[in-house]
Amino acid sequence: MSQRQGVDISYEDGARAVELARESVESYVRHGQREHPGSMRDAFYERTGAFVRLESTRGRGSLRGCAGGYRTGEQLGHVIVDAAIEAASDDSCGSEVTPSELSNLTVSVCVVRNVLLTDDPIADLELGTHGVAVDGNGQSGWLYPTVPVENGWSEHEYLDRTCRKAGLPPTAWQDDEVIVTLFEGQVFREREADGSVEQL
């Protein structure tokens, strides 16, 4: 078991992270361009991972894209921009976000804080605190810390579903060859499309 410290960011930095992710999505979707973080807040120069989630507010709502990573040597500002673009592309959920969808998308960002490589996921996993990433057989997948709480999942179900997202059998997290990594993150999201930001 090993642990790596990440960065702690303020609410103001978190709100700016969400704003940067939205600007990046809109620039990519409308113009096919990569947004440049420009003059960044100090925290955005830290080298840590981040994830971006895009959710539709139409109908019952649905995940429109998610991307990012907990292992990166890049500066946080650039990680957010790249994750936002990937989340909006057809590589994420199978279809690219269109300009007409932008007013119905909520954006959230998870900034990675601590990373824990675990050999006992059930004992180490704390629902609502940890995101989960699995790597095995050349496949990988991850889920946000807030997802099991939003869906009422148990630890087992959370791990099973992360494996399924990675294209692995649900119980693959129990195999010795499969690496399970837990990550803590600070999650910030828009309350409504392009609206005020809350910290979860």
Side-chain angles (χ1 to χ4, degrees):
M1 190 186 318
S2 64
Q3 193 154 356
R4 176 173 69 78
Q5 289 292 117
V7 60
D8 264 326
I9 66 171
S10 66
Y11 170 80
E12 289 74 19
D13 288 335
R16 175 60 189 138
V18 172
E19 185 181 25
L20 177 60
R22 174 167 284 280
E23 288 167 359
S24 302
V25 168
E26 293 188 350
S27 179
Y28 173 74
V29 170
R30 292 189 197 282
H31 311 293
Q33 294 176 343
R34 183 187 188 280
E35 182 77 8
H36 289 282
S39 178
M40 297 190 294
R41 301 174 74 94
D42 288 349
F44 289 25
Y45 290 101
E46 296 282 350
R47 296 184 186 276
T48 190
F51 300 90
V52 173
R53 263 176 102 189
L54 309 176
E55 294 176 274
S56 174
T57 60
R58 286 183 180 154
R60 290 172 49 208
S62 64
L63 183 66
R64 278 301 285 120
C66 55
Y70 62 91
R71 286 184 298 226
T72 177
E74 297 294 314
Q75 292 175 342
L76 176 59
H78 293 285
V79 174
I80 291 169
V81 170
D82 291 340
I85 290 171
E86 189 180 339
S89 76
D90 56 7
D91 293 337
S92 181
C93 283
S95 65
E96 195 164 291
V97 171
T98 63
S100 64
E101 290 181 84
L102 291 173
S103 60
N104 296 304
L105 284 183
T106 56
V107 177
S108 68
V109 175
C110 174
V111 177
V112 174
R113 193 161 40 192
N114 294 324
V115 177
L116 179 72
L117 188 62
T118 177
D119 51 15
D120 191 350
I122 291 295
D124 294 332
L125 175 57
E126 211 172 303
L127 294 177
T129 297
H130 289 121
V132 173
V134 294
D135 296 272
N137 300 328
Q139 305 278 85
S140 63
W142 56 269
L143 285 173
Y144 242 47
T146 54
V147 169
V149 178
E150 291 165 359
N151 292 284
W153 296 343
S154 67
E155 289 87 348
H156 278 88
E157 190 168 9
Y158 187 22
L159 290 160
D160 287 351
R161 286 178 179 268
T162 307
C163 288
R164 281 170 42 195
K165 188 177 179 194
L168 296 167
T171 56
W173 58 271
Q174 298 176 38
D175 298 345
D176 290 340
E177 306 81 49
V178 173
I179 297 167
V180 179
T181 306
L182 307 179
F183 58 89
E184 287 181 45
Q186 291 173 271
V187 179
F188 301 86
R189 75 171 178 202
E190 295 174 339
R191 289 185 173 91
E192 55 191 34
D194 205 11
S196 60
V197 174
E198 62 183 343
Q199 181 172 3
L200 301 183

